[in-house]
Amino acid sequence: FNAEEPEILHLGTGANKNLERLAPALAGLPCRLNVLGQLNPAQRTILEQNKIRYTNTPQAADAEVLRAYEACDMTAFVSTYEGFGLPIVEANAVGRPVVTSNILSMPEVAGKAACLVDPFNVAAIREGILRVWKDSAYRTNLIEAGFENVKRFSAEAIAAQYAAIYREMANEPQS
C-alpha cells in the first residue's frame, strides 16, 4: 500500500457511478485516480476543477481490468445505484480494500469486507477514503475479510445455494 500517494481505482462513468462526488471528496489529497470508462466532458471538468491527478482507460479488456485492480491501492465504488456490485468482489479477490456505498445491494455484497459510506455525502466519502488510507490495521482487516467474502461468491458456493433451493422446492407440496 502506497501511503504516500495511493492509487485509487474507480470503475465506470455512468451517472450512478458517482464520479461527480468522488472527485471533490479527493480534492487536495495526494493520490492518483484511475478511472475505467469513457469520461464525458463534464466529468473531465470536475476532475480538473478539483485538481485530481488521474488516468483514464475508456475501454478495458478483462485482462486490463485485472491489472488495474492489481495496480491500485484501493477501490472506490461509491455508486448511487447497483443491481449487485461485482467490483466489490473483484477487488476483494485481489486483496484490495474497498470503499463502497451503504445503500442497496452494496452492503450485502461487501459484508464486512468494505468501508461503507453515504454515496450522497462528499464528506462521508472522503472520511471513508481517509480511514482506509491512514488506518493500516483497519485496511488489513478489510483485506482479510475480503478474502473470506469472495468465497461466498465462488461457483461452488452459488451452485450449492441453487441446489438447496431446488431441493426445498421439490419437497414443498404442490398447491
Side-chain angles (χ1 to χ4, degrees):
F1 189 88
N2 180 352
E4 297 300 315
E5 186 183 38
E7 180 171 318
I8 300 169
L9 178 62
H10 176 84
L11 295 109
T13 55
N16 65 308
K17 300 303 183 183
N18 210 18
L19 185 59
E20 291 75 7
R21 288 188 187 92
L22 179 61
L26 297 176
L29 298 178
C31 63
R32 292 171 287 119
L33 183 64
N34 183 7
V35 180
L36 300 187
Q38 182 70 49
L39 290 169
N40 64 41
Q43 290 168 324
R44 287 185 186 280
T45 298
I46 289 169
L47 289 165
E48 290 163 12
Q49 285 174 340
N50 286 282
K51 297 180 173 54
I52 305 300
R53 291 187 46 227
Y54 73 95
T55 55
N56 177 230
T57 305
Q59 295 180 338
D62 289 346
E64 291 172 295
V65 174
L66 176 59
R67 280 194 298 277
Y69 278 115
E70 292 171 339
C72 78
D73 293 296
M74 81 173 78
T75 299
F77 191 67
V78 291
S79 182
T80 59
Y81 176 83
E82 290 296 327
F84 182 75
L86 190 58
I88 298 165
V89 179
E90 291 172 337
N92 289 163
V94 295
R96 296 304 177 264
V98 178
V99 176
T100 195
S101 303
N102 64 0
I103 59 170
L104 303 167
S105 61
M106 277 116 2
E108 288 80 15
V109 172
K112 295 180 181 184
C115 176
L116 302 177
V117 299
D118 178 351
F120 298 102
N121 183 318
V122 171
I125 296 168
R126 184 180 183 94
E127 183 179 310
I129 295 283
L130 287 172
R131 183 173 184 202
V132 171
W133 182 343
K134 302 295 184 183
D135 187 339
S136 63
Y138 179 65
R139 185 173 59 247
T140 298
N141 287 339
L142 291 179
I143 292 167
E144 290 171 1
F147 286 130
E148 289 304 309
N149 188 49
V150 77
K151 293 175 185 177
R152 295 188 306 137
F153 302 100
S154 72
E156 295 81 12
I158 299 299
Q161 291 172 18
Y162 274 112
I165 291 169
Y166 293 144
R167 279 193 297 277
E168 183 179 319
M169 290 172 45
N171 290 330
E172 288 183 9
Q174 298 296 319
S175 53

